[in-house]
Amino acid sequence: MFPGCYAGRWPHIHFEVFPSLDAATDVANAIATSQIAIPQAICEEIYGATSGYEQSTPNLSQLSLETDGVFGEDAAALQLGTITGTPGDGLAIRLDVPVSATPAPASEGGGGAPPAGGPAGPGGPGGPPAGGAPG
């Protein structure tokens, strides 16, 4: 599984952090919600070599981390993951994220449900990929 690139959004993966495995059964227990930006080089490699990502290549060519609606504020300085492995043997992504053990109040962007939709409309953060592309 590898995220596709849809119009207006840099390839990314959503994640949530919970204080324990038992707490992960209810989204209300999330103490952090964020996204990991996927490095451009691996996106280009996957999209160029894998069937089903035909629209991802032109979508990616029209974007940068600076123009993304979510990562653009700091060009994903704190959200760009590091990829290890190979497409043939499997990939892993890593992002070190400092997290407090207790959720911040909602007004401070703490845990809870991730946002639905986003600046790109359908297929934006939390939505399905546009055109049913893999993701």
Side-chain angles (χ1 to χ4, degrees):
M1 177 171 68
F2 193 88
C5 181
Y6 46 90
R9 282 306 321 274
W10 190 263
H12 62 280
I13 299 171
H14 293 252
F15 71 92
E16 295 177 321
V17 178
F18 293 86
S20 70
L21 184 57
D22 290 336
T25 60
D26 184 345
V27 69
N29 295 329
I31 59 174
T33 301
S34 192
Q35 301 175 34
I36 301 174
I38 311 298
Q40 184 171 355
I42 193 65
C43 292
E44 291 171 344
E45 181 178 349
I46 296 293
Y47 300 158
T50 309
S51 152
Y53 291 99
E54 291 79 11
Q55 189 57 47
S56 291
T57 298
N59 287 345
L60 184 63
S61 72
Q62 297 173 17
L63 292 171
S64 71
L65 285 166
E66 292 79 12
T67 62
D68 180 81
V70 174
F71 300 126
E73 188 173 306
D74 66 356
L78 300 176
Q79 295 171 298
L80 185 60
T82 303
I83 296 282
T84 57
T86 66
D89 294 328
L91 299 169
I93 190 163
R94 178 186 173 117
L95 180 69
D96 292 332
V97 179
V99 178
S100 171
T102 57
S107 63
E108 295 179 26

